[in-house]
Amino acid sequence: MLKKVFGSAVFGVEATTITVEVNVDSGIGYHLVGLPDNAIKESNYRIAAALQNNGYKIPGKKITINMAPADLRKEGSAYDLTLAVGILAASKQIQSEDLEQYIIMGELSLDGSLQPIKGALPIAVKAREEGFKKFILPSQNAKEAAIVDNLEVYGVDNIKQVIDYFDKGVALQQTIINTREEFYKNLDFPEFDFSDVKGQESIKRCMEIAAAGGHNIILIGPPGAGKTMLAKRLPSILPPMTLHEALETTKIHSVVGKVKDMGLISQRPFRSPHHTISDVALVGGGTFPQPGEISLSHNGVLFLDELPEFKRSVLEVLRQPLEDREVTISRAKFTVTYPSSFMLVASMNPSPGGYFNDPGAPVTSSPAEMQRYLSKISGPLLDRIDIHIEVTPVPFEKLSEERKSESSVDIRKRVTKAREIQTKRFEASDAVHYNAQMNTKQIRKYCVLDEASKQLLKTAMERLNLSARAYDRILKVSRTIADLEGTAEVNGSHISEAIQYRSLDREGWLG
């Protein structure tokens, strides 16, 4: 007898429905076709033990299973439950009149209990798109899949529950989530707050500008100046995620199995990979492509601590995703695209010894050593970083102050207000949402300078030896400073503040 059961495969951040055809015929043998990987080929052992331990069995007949489309490679152990239900239905051990309404996924343990799967959210989105009514999956993934409305989601702990549901009509508990309510309930603030930071007022101002315009930023300073501490607090002042951004972010984290019982991710991601990371781990890829750190930080912050310690090849692969805000991974048979719209925050010491132009420093480096150290970061990569700021150590008087600094909540209000101005400004554009994303045409339109401001910028570029690449960045940052102040025009004070944030373009750094 032939039966069809439906599962799903995830490629990139999208799912594809897989039809599992199970045919039980006279004879003997077990044949699994349709490009399954080793994990799927081994499933018959898990299925046999799980059924045996729950009072059922794989029939001693010829079983042929086809996973269609047959030319698409299937991977992972998430098809165990799909195959088991198909075998039981084809051998008439369970009733199965309306199986075509269900997507069924789950990895089986030998006792019949279910292990969580990856990509439950993209699978649920595709199931609803294709008109499926119900989705049965492990209970650990139920909250994540239930984000999708108009689809009945049933989380189960054991294959026995699934068998009793189909065979004896024992009801399963539907998982229901009010997505909007869940989203707004979780909009609390991260544990790190700017009120803990003593001194560093100019750096906090810089962070506020970076957050308001979505600008990439690099912090340069000696060890212990507070670079990492400040970077970790940046997500606390970023505007809250929109529901659309939250769904997009959850989808990517779902693909790598990092959501499970959390449901909707409503906090902006903060990723801080170690400097020994490979370029594949950063950008994504592998034999079966998976999102890398840049995609996991989509709609959030990617923090690269000690930037020159990263391998040069790793840093160079960042260039295209920073520009295009997505990364495309191509293989011989398929291509996947992952979104990667993130804020890059980097920190570095000014020299191998960690100190710069400080006669009292415990270690000093020669100019040649410094040049070699700084040249690990290429010009094209620096070109994509809008704000360079020097972080100096905090004096004792500031550290011992009792007075609390301004909290992240207050800073975030100003940032959100500035972002609202930008959202309105770019509402006609699908690709641009904030100032850092502006192209040349938009810079010319929205950053119009009066004669005095033009003269100031010209003088600064000549005197400070600023490179041509700094020009557009200065205008973008000036536009953000004007938005924070709520002024429509960019004026001289905005330009002069933006010029200060180009330390690495000056002679004496990278020359």
Side-chain angles (χ1 to χ4, degrees):
M1 187 179 177
L2 175 68
K3 274 290 170 190
K4 289 185 181 179
V5 194
F6 296 92
S8 201
V10 178
F11 292 94
V13 288
E14 302 300 328
T16 304
T17 301
I18 303 294
T19 307
V20 176
E21 302 170 321
V22 184
N23 191 61
V24 176
D25 212 343
S26 55
I28 209 153
Y30 183 91
H31 309 286
L32 181 58
V33 295
L35 284 185
D37 72 347
N38 284 337
I40 301 173
K41 286 175 187 169
E42 292 167 351
S43 64
N44 63 317
Y45 301 112
R46 292 191 293 273
I47 292 166
L51 292 180
Q52 188 76 42
N53 288 326
N54 285 279
Y56 292 81
K57 61 183 171 64
I58 289 185
K61 294 188 175 183
K62 183 182 177 184
I63 300 170
T64 308
I65 302 173
N66 177 42
M67 303 179 81
D71 63 341
L72 196 70
R73 184 154 179 84
K74 329 295 181 304
E75 59 164 348
S77 51
Y79 300 98
D80 290 359
L81 187 60
T82 326
L83 299 174
V85 169
I87 291 167
L88 290 170
S91 59
K92 296 186 179 173
Q93 294 182 66
I94 61 170
Q95 303 296 316
S96 55
E97 278 71 45
D98 57 350
L99 271 179
E100 69 283 348
Q101 295 184 10
Y102 293 83
I103 289 277
I104 301 170
M105 296 292 284
E107 179 192 327
L108 282 170
S109 295
L110 299 188
D111 62 355
S113 59
L114 289 168
Q115 301 296 324
I117 63 169
K118 290 179 181 177
L121 181 56
I123 292 170
V125 170
K126 190 68 176 175
R128 182 185 63 182
E129 252 175 54
E130 300 207 338
F132 288 96
K133 300 280 186 294
K134 299 166 186 178
F135 186 9
I136 295 175
L137 77 168
S139 53
Q140 297 98 313
N141 301 107
K143 272 179 102 173
E144 174 189 341
I147 292 167
V148 178
D149 52 6
N150 299 327
L151 180 73
E152 292 175 30
V153 174
Y154 299 101
V156 290
D157 297 312
N158 195 288
I159 192 172
K160 187 82 170 76
Q161 289 172 260
V162 183
I163 294 168
D164 289 347
Y165 172 69
F166 283 116
D167 204 33
K168 297 171 185 168
V170 178
L172 291 174
Q173 181 71 42
Q174 185 181 345
T175 306
I176 298 169
I177 282 184
N178 182 328
T179 310
R180 289 183 182 280
E181 193 181 290
E182 185 82 2
F183 173 65
Y184 291 114
K185 184 179 78 182
N186 291 329
L187 280 179
D188 55 347
F189 292 97
E191 55 184 308
F192 300 112
D193 196 287
F194 270 106
S195 61
D196 307 328
V197 181
K198 305 283 188 185
Q200 304 289 26
E201 298 308 323
S202 61
I203 319 299
K204 285 185 206 167
R205 166 73 176 164
C206 232
M207 289 286 196
E208 185 180 329
I209 294 165
H215 300 289
N216 302 321
I217 181 171
I218 184 165
L219 308 168
I220 312 132
K227 301 183 297 293
T228 308
M229 179 191 69
L230 286 156
K232 281 184 177 172
R233 280 157 177 75
L234 183 61
S236 70
I237 62 168
L238 286 171
M241 280 213 277
T242 62
L243 189 54
H244 175 70
E245 285 177 328
L247 284 164
E248 234 180 8
T249 307
T250 309
K251 219 173 180 186
I252 298 165
H253 285 252
S254 171
V255 170
V256 288
K258 291 187 183 290
V259 180
K260 302 213 174 90
D261 288 325
M262 286 161 58
L264 197 65
I265 292 175
S266 52
Q267 294 290 349
R268 291 191 181 273
F270 180 85
R271 309 288 300 181
S272 178
H274 192 260
H275 63 254
T276 53
I277 192 171
S278 69
D279 43 6
V280 171
L282 187 69
V283 162
T287 317
F288 302 112
Q290 288 275 295
E293 288 291 332
I294 62 171
S295 295
L296 291 171
S297 55
H298 179 61
N299 290 324
V301 174
L302 176 69
F303 176 47
L304 301 182
D305 202 0
E306 304 302 342
L307 192 67
E309 301 301 335
F310 284 79
K311 292 196 286 286
R312 191 176 174 116
S313 63
V314 171
L315 295 178
E316 293 312 295
V317 294
L318 275 175
R319 281 154 60 170
Q320 181 260 336
L322 276 170
E323 205 67 36
D324 298 346
R325 301 192 179 269
E326 63 178 27
V327 60
T328 302
I329 296 156
S330 299
R331 294 290 174 268
K333 291 188 178 174
F334 58 89
T335 300
V336 295
T337 299
Y338 295 112
S340 59
S341 180
F342 59 91
M343 253 183 85
L344 175 65
V345 180
S347 76
M348 60 181 278
N349 295 321
S351 67
Y355 297 89
F356 172 63
N357 285 354
D358 183 358
V363 183
T364 53
S365 304
S366 70
E369 283 175 327
M370 283 188 58
Q371 194 65 35
R372 197 159 52 244
Y373 184 72
L374 290 167
S375 65
K376 286 184 180 181
I377 308 158
S378 71
L381 179 62
L382 275 178
D383 186 28
R384 288 159 173 82
I385 299 176
D386 304 1
I387 298 175
H388 314 152
I389 186 76
E390 291 171 57
V391 184
T392 50
V394 183
F396 176 77
E397 293 73 30
K398 286 274 185 192
L399 280 175
S400 55
E401 264 185 4
E402 289 298 315
R403 187 172 60 85
K404 273 263 187 189
S405 302
E406 191 177 24
S407 74
S408 292
V409 181
D410 297 330
I411 302 172
R412 184 188 241 192
K413 281 176 188 164
R414 294 197 296 270
V415 168
T416 308
K417 203 172 172 186
R419 278 283 179 104
E420 281 165 3
I421 294 169
Q422 293 163 52
T423 305
K424 197 171 177 187
R425 178 182 299 140
F426 303 120
E427 61 189 350
S429 170
D430 290 336
V432 180
H433 304 291
Y434 42 85
N435 291 339
Q437 297 174 326
M438 281 195 288
N439 57 33
T440 312
K441 197 175 172 185
Q442 287 161 329
I443 292 171
R444 300 291 170 268
K445 184 178 176 182
Y446 297 116
C447 307
V448 181
L449 303 181
D450 57 32
E451 207 47 52
S453 303
K454 271 185 192 167
Q455 199 54 45
L456 174 68
L457 186 51
K458 183 182 177 217
T459 310
M461 290 189 76
E462 287 168 358
R463 284 217 187 138
L464 298 172
N465 247 348
L466 295 177
S467 67
R469 68 171 170 254
Y471 179 72
D472 279 0
R473 305 284 159 184
I474 288 170
L475 288 177
K476 285 182 184 182
V477 174
S478 307
R479 179 68 267 173
T480 303
I481 296 167
D483 289 341
L484 277 167
E485 285 184 12
T487 56
E489 302 300 322
V490 176
N491 62 39
S493 64
H494 306 143
I495 291 284
S496 55
E497 185 176 353
I499 290 165
Q500 293 173 33
Y501 304 142
R502 296 299 300 181
S503 304
L504 289 183
D505 282 325
R506 293 179 202 162
E507 203 172 352
W509 283 91
L510 294 177

